[in-house]
Amino acid sequence: MKLTKNIFLLSISILVLMTLTGCFNYGNMNEPRNDIKTSDTADDTDNTGITGETNSLVMEKITAEQAKEMMDQQEDIIILDVRTTQEFNSGHIEGAVLIPDYELAEVAEEQLKDKDAIILIYCRSGNRSAQAANTLQELGYTNLYDFGGIIDWPFDIIK
């Protein structure tokens, strides 16, 4: 009887431990994680099976500060605002190109001709920019950086 009780307690302990491990707080999930690689390369083959080619992810989540640094240091960056025209007119980042998220799939290839250009994407809060990055990735764009929403942009905007 005592052995059965010990096995039962051990089983309950293991279950509790597994549950607590699964519920561990990994920090603020809205912040970019520096410990996760957002791109990787294949050692031998890419998804086409060609030896020596690399296969990298094309979208990276970055902070507003990282986006600003890229804007200040690099030329030929496209800053893509995927909000509505009304939102854009109420204030936007200098140099931003407006393509509302609901039009992006239809007009991206016409307005964003270089699929290898660096594209920094933002919206109001970060939801539409993430969806837009996925849309552009599906269309074959290769250098996408989602920096979330203008509500988190601590720098000047054009009004």
Side-chain angles (χ1 to χ4, degrees):
M1 182 73 172
K2 188 173 181 175
L3 181 61
T4 305
K5 183 178 177 183
N6 286 340
I7 292 174
F8 176 75
L9 288 175
L10 180 61
S11 298
I12 295 297
S13 299
I14 291 172
L15 261 173
V16 168
L17 182 62
M18 289 173 60
T19 302
L20 291 175
T21 303
C23 295
F24 182 77
N25 181 3
Y26 289 101
N28 185 348
M29 299 307 284
N30 293 327
E31 293 293 322
R33 295 208 26 212
N34 295 330
D35 61 330
I36 297 175
K37 284 182 70 176
T38 53
S39 62
D40 57 24
T41 57
D43 291 334
D44 296 322
T45 61
D46 67 0
N47 57 359
T48 63
I50 300 172
T51 301
E53 295 291 321
T54 61
N55 180 21
S56 62
L57 299 175
V58 296
M59 196 278 291
E60 184 173 342
K61 176 79 174 143
I62 61 173
T63 65
E65 291 77 14
Q66 289 170 313
K68 177 71 167 129
E69 186 176 325
M70 289 175 74
M71 291 174 199
D72 291 344
Q73 293 180 354
Q74 299 179 22
E75 294 181 19
D76 300 328
I77 288 180
I78 298 169
I79 306 165
L80 179 61
D81 187 327
V82 295
R83 299 175 299 154
T84 65
T85 302
Q86 183 179 1
E87 288 174 304
F88 182 84
N89 290 338
S90 70
H92 60 274
I93 297 171
E94 184 176 1
V97 174
L98 173 65
I99 304 177
D101 64 315
Y102 52 86
E103 294 178 2
L104 190 60
E106 292 84 35
V107 302
E109 291 179 323
E110 177 184 318
Q111 293 189 25
L112 305 171
K113 296 189 185 301
D114 183 0
K115 290 190 175 187
D116 294 321
I118 295 172
I119 303 176
L120 305 178
I121 308 164
Y122 76 96
C123 62
R124 187 188 69 80
S125 64
N127 184 36
R128 289 176 284 177
S129 62
Q131 292 174 3
N134 287 332
T135 298
L136 291 172
Q137 184 175 358
E138 290 172 6
L139 292 172
Y141 291 85
T142 61
N143 286 306
L144 305 171
Y145 296 86
D146 172 11
F147 65 97
I150 197 167
I151 61 173
D152 296 321
W153 183 255
F155 309 102
D156 292 336
I157 59 171
I158 305 296
K159 289 190 177 189

